[in-house]
């Protein structure tokens, strides 16, 4: 378990970027899955923004409020940004082929509100918890 306290959105982005660079070099036979959990405004989308920047994704990162899955193309494969906040059940993701996405080792999958769809999150996923401490302070914990 590793914890960090960040004092600004920029610091959260930087932490995510460092983690991204560390994780993408690891070879796996399944997708790299990051399961993000924690309260509203905890910094999950901000974290994803930093993660994508490190992988040279330059499109704007939005909270996928209306679209369930945002797909970004990387040189090495695809990166999926999923927000489970509005989901009634994991069935919605199963219908969209989430199992195939998880099974492809070229994919990276970042899921906000992953605790709402816990049943379908692969066992190999890295869980990251976001806590709102103060206005600009967030505690980010990698729960592995
Ligand atoms: N240290 C910090 N790290 C991340 N965000 C911070 C920090 N300090 C302040 N903020 C602000 O907190 C907000 C975090 O919002 P963000 O959309 O990243 O959270 P979220 O966890 O994705 O929320 P939601 O559950 O609504 O999707 C942003 O407005 C950001 O500017
Ligand atoms: Mg968000």
């Amino acid at each position: 378990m590793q914890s960090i306290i960040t004092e600004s959105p920029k610091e959260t982005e930087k932490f995510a970027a460092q983690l991204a660079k560390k994780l993408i070099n690891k070879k796996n036979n399944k997708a790299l899955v990051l399961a993000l959990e924690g309260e509203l405004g905890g910094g999950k989308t901000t974290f994803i923004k930093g993660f994508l920047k490190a992988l040279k994704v330059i499109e704007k990162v939005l909270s996928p409020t209306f679209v369930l899955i945002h797909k970004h193309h990387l040189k090495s494969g695809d990166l999926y940004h999923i927000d489970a906040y509005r989901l009634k059940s994991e069935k919605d993701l199963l219908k969209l082929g989430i199992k195939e996405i998880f099974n492809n080792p070229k994919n990276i999958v970042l899921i906000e509100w992953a605790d709402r769809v816990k049943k379908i999150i692969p066992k190999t996923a890295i869980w990251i918890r976001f806590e709102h401490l103060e206005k600009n302070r967030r505690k980010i914990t990698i729960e592995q």
Side-chain angles (χ1 to χ4, degrees):
M1 200 143 92
Q2 185 202 342
S3 256
I4 183 187
I5 290 176
T6 64
E7 310 273 354
S8 68
K10 276 274 163 287
E11 269 185 44
T12 295
E13 283 192 36
K14 194 174 150 205
F15 174 70
Q18 286 166 346
L19 192 66
K21 284 178 185 152
K22 228 188 286 173
L23 292 176
I24 50 160
N25 293 320
K26 289 196 179 152
K27 290 277 167 288
N28 261 318
N29 56 0
K30 292 275 166 69
L32 168 65
V33 181
L34 265 58
L36 312 185
E37 61 176 330
E39 54 216 328
L40 283 167
K44 300 179 292 297
T45 302
T46 304
F47 174 95
I48 290 172
K49 212 183 275 180
F51 197 97
L52 267 71
K53 270 192 203 162
L55 303 183
K56 306 273 185 269
V57 178
I58 44 158
E59 302 144 61
K60 202 158 186 233
V61 179
L62 307 163
S63 299
T65 307
F66 301 108
V67 186
L68 192 57
I69 302 185
H70 273 280
K71 185 176 177 180
H72 304 272
H73 298 288
L74 303 174
K75 259 188 236 145
S76 53
D78 293 319
L79 185 149
Y80 295 86
H81 175 188
I82 299 173
D83 194 334
Y85 185 65
R86 268 157 231 278
L87 286 187
K88 286 196 195 75
S89 90
E90 29 277 289
K91 280 188 199 135
D92 296 336
L93 285 176
L94 292 172
K95 273 186 245 157
L96 293 169
I98 192 72
K99 289 277 170 165
E100 289 73 24
I101 293 173
F102 285 147
N103 278 330
N104 186 342
K106 286 188 173 164
N107 291 336
I108 298 174
V109 190
L110 306 175
I111 310 172
E112 295 189 47
W113 293 98
D115 46 314
R116 302 207 168 184
V117 291
K118 222 171 222 158
K119 270 191 247 161
I120 59 150
I121 303 292
K123 286 202 180 62
T124 50
I126 298 167
W127 283 83
I128 305 179
R129 194 174 70 239
F130 292 78
E131 290 167 78
H132 186 300
L133 301 180
E134 279 168 57
K135 191 171 176 288
N136 291 315
R137 279 161 69 87
R138 302 290 184 276
K139 185 174 179 187
I140 307 172
T141 306
I142 301 175
E143 302 170 325
Q144 230 188 6

